[in-house]
Amino acid sequence: MKTHSPSCSHSPADRDARSRLDRLGIILSGACAIHCIAGLALVGLLGLGSLGEGHSFLFAPEIHKYGLVAAIVVGALTIGLGAIRHGHVLPLVLGALGIALMAIAVAGPHGVTEAVLTIAGVNVLALGHILNIRACSPRR
């Protein structure tokens, strides 16, 4: 894959804004992975994190749904628009695959399978963001 597309039509200001959003996507992906690992450790191994009567704030479905919505919005704004501008398809494919894995995880029951799918999804999505940054970076 080329590191900089000569046909990239991002202005320097647009490229910087999109790069910041890509970096935000990478940070959110990392936070999500940490949340999954910490949640499994605290709830599964240590028995912590419960609010009583089986309700765990760490595994609340709302957290995962909001995270998925954030990943879709940030991914569409950065990777989707980036692919249109620089023409590289790999970041878009990886972004879509990562979001799909996250969506499958959210749709299923909570537990280890959900965490594994989510962690895989956020890692693939983060790689899509990294490749998207590189696809239109004049510095590489």
Side-chain angles (χ1 to χ4, degrees):
M1 179 174 159
K2 294 185 235 177
T3 56
H4 176 63
S5 174
S7 63
C8 184
S9 61
H10 284 104
S11 69
D14 184 33
R15 184 172 40 243
D16 289 342
R18 190 187 47 77
S19 179
R20 278 192 291 273
L21 280 174
D22 272 317
R23 285 180 172 80
L24 174 63
I26 294 165
I27 290 167
L28 290 174
S29 291
C32 185
I34 290 168
H35 169 261
C36 287
I37 293 167
L40 284 175
L42 293 174
V43 175
L45 300 176
L46 302 176
L48 301 176
S50 179
L51 294 175
E53 299 187 28
H55 300 290
S56 173
F57 65 91
L58 290 172
F59 287 121
E62 295 79 22
I63 292 173
H64 300 111
K65 290 175 184 174
Y66 294 141
L68 179 60
V69 169
I72 291 169
V73 169
V74 173
L77 287 173
T78 58
I79 298 174
L81 292 175
I84 291 169
R85 294 278 180 101
H86 55 60
H88 292 272
V89 179
L90 186 56
L92 185 61
V93 170
L94 291 174
L97 177 61
I99 289 172
L101 289 170
M102 292 168 62
I104 292 168
V106 168
H110 296 304
V112 175
T113 302
E114 177 198 21
V116 169
L117 285 170
T118 300
I119 291 168
V122 298
N123 280 306
V124 171
L125 179 57
L127 180 58
H129 281 293
I130 290 167
L131 294 178
N132 195 50
I133 291 169
R134 291 180 178 176
C136 205
S137 175
R139 290 171 241 150
R140 292 195 128 241

